[in-house]
Amino acid sequence: MNIFHTKSDLKAYLDAHKTKNKQIGFVPTMGALHKGHLSLLEKCAQENDISVVSIFVNPTQFDNSDDLVKYPKTFEADVTLLEAANCDAIFAPSVQEIYPNNVAASPFDFEGLEHEMEGKFRQGHFNGVGTIVKTLFEIVQPHTAYFGQKDFQQLQIVKKMVQIQQLPVIIKGCKIHREKDGLAMSSRNSRLTDAHRKAAPVIFQILQEVKNKFKVDPVETIVKWVEKEFEKQPLLHLEYFTIADEKTLKNCEQKDPKIQYRAFIAVFAKEIRLIDNVRL
Ligand code: PAF
């Protein structure tokens, strides 16, 4: 496995493979890898000749400086995991390598997807995501890139960017990986206290109950029920819960049988922000 820190070194390595018509698969990450990331890599390795994983904690997508500073960084452990999981190349650039002039996001228009859910609570977050994902696509020039569905809004936004800007890459969304107790795997889970970690699986339990209720109850009733359930949780603070159209991410007010809906949630466990979603 090769580890590259500069665009030019990675490009030289990939160019040699591209001239031999090798398929390049790409998994962008911010490191602190878990089984969810490894499942993306597994799919990537199955479907491509060369698998590239980037590890870069992108400063421009953090709306909270404390979250950026405390974001888990486990580079050595990540390298060991990737080595064992058929990764061919790691791209781990410095902030200077990615943002040589100005550490700032560019503005993006994702046709309104960016104004829903996360976009309402994380100012500028999706401009940061668009900026880094586009930059990484330009550097790696993968045939296919793999994203987890835990960040479902991010997945839809990346697909939209690729469509609007006609970027030559196929985007694949991969299913959410969960701990045995249902908690969606996330790099941030390692920052939970024992008590918050014990409380957190209720997020998925509530989402599962929402899935049942959605068959019979109106959306308004379900939203009220979720809010009440979180009032019973002293260690968890509900930031938002919404049922939305998978494609437009717009709130569902009246159920339409022609539309595929998903339930989305963001919860604070102390200062750790956890998100999750289920298809309804
Ligand atoms: O999902 C993530 O880990 C990040 O948002 C991504 C896609 C690697 C961009 O920094």
Side-chain angles (χ1 to χ4, degrees):
M1 186 178 69
N2 299 278
I3 303 177
F4 300 104
H5 297 287
T6 64
K7 295 179 264 191
S8 53
D9 286 351
L10 177 69
K11 195 176 174 317
Y13 166 82
L14 290 175
D15 281 352
H17 288 286
K18 281 176 192 158
T19 51
K20 292 184 205 146
N21 276 332
K22 300 284 185 201
Q23 286 289 313
I24 311 292
F26 178 44
V27 181
T29 84
M30 297 205 298
L33 303 180
H34 50 69
K35 284 193 190 132
H37 295 113
L38 296 181
S39 73
L40 299 181
L41 173 58
E42 196 183 323
K43 199 167 164 57
C44 178
Q46 277 163 8
E47 297 183 353
N48 298 276
D49 301 308
I50 299 292
S51 295
V52 182
V53 174
S54 63
I55 296 180
F56 180 67
V57 182
N58 174 38
T60 67
Q61 70 186 74
F62 284 80
D63 60 325
N64 174 334
S65 53
D66 195 48
D67 192 25
L68 171 61
V69 171
K70 293 189 178 150
Y71 198 85
K73 289 156 197 94
T74 57
F75 188 70
E76 299 303 319
D78 292 347
V79 170
T80 308
L81 284 174
L82 292 174
E83 179 104 62
N86 289 330
C87 176
D88 298 295
I90 297 178
F91 180 47
S94 63
V95 171
Q96 168 72 18
E97 182 72 7
I98 295 292
Y99 297 104
N101 302 317
N102 192 9
V103 186
S106 309
F108 280 81
D109 177 359
F110 300 110
E111 295 183 350
L113 293 180
E114 70 276 29
H115 302 311
E116 306 299 330
M117 302 184 297
E118 294 295 286
K120 288 186 185 145
F121 293 92
R122 302 185 69 187
Q123 214 53 47
H125 170 65
F126 288 118
N127 282 334
V129 170
T131 303
I132 186 62
V133 172
K134 190 172 177 219
T135 304
L136 290 170
F137 284 174
E138 280 162 4
I139 297 168
V140 179
Q141 299 185 5
H143 297 96
T144 310
Y146 300 80
F147 291 81
Q149 288 184 345
K150 184 173 74 66
D151 298 284
F152 191 84
Q153 186 171 11
Q154 166 175 281
L155 170 65
Q156 298 299 66
I157 275 180
V158 170
K159 283 184 180 166
K160 182 61 78 183
M161 176 177 79
V162 164
Q163 181 205 324
I164 294 174
Q165 307 205 5
Q166 300 186 350
L167 305 178
V169 52
I170 296 164
I171 304 301
K172 292 206 177 172
C174 304
K175 75 174 179 58
I176 299 175
H177 256 65
R178 298 187 178 280
E179 302 290 352
K180 281 204 180 74
D181 57 17
L183 178 65
M185 288 188 185
S186 163
S187 304
R188 289 185 174 88
N189 291 353
S190 65
R191 293 185 54 212
L192 294 169
T193 65
D194 287 350
H196 289 92
R197 174 65 188 83
K198 274 201 189 114
V202 83
I203 299 169
F204 183 53
Q205 286 156 20
I206 287 175
L207 287 180
Q208 278 179 308
E209 197 50 41
V210 165
K211 202 172 159 78
N212 294 329
K213 287 183 183 294
F214 189 70
K215 293 177 194 141
V216 283
D217 290 339
V219 172
E220 214 189 309
T221 311
I222 301 173
V223 172
K224 283 200 182 113
W225 177 79
V226 171
E227 287 167 0
K228 279 234 146 52
E229 285 304 299
F230 276 96
E231 280 165 19
K232 296 180 205 159
Q233 296 295 328
L235 295 179
L236 302 175
H237 169 73
L238 177 66
E239 186 172 48
Y240 68 78
F241 167 77
T242 184
I243 292 177
D245 178 334
E246 259 194 9
K247 273 206 186 114
T248 62
L249 304 181
K250 294 243 176 285
N251 261 345
C252 165
E253 272 147 27
Q254 205 72 35
K255 287 182 212 171
D256 177 343
K258 294 188 291 303
I259 291 177
Q260 178 62 57
Y261 294 104
R262 229 170 233 268
F264 296 89
I265 197 162
V267 171
F268 276 100
K270 213 168 166 203
E271 78 277 19
I272 317 297
R273 194 167 178 279
L274 303 171
I275 59 170
D276 201 349
N277 66 82
V278 292
R279 196 167 213 224
L280 298 175

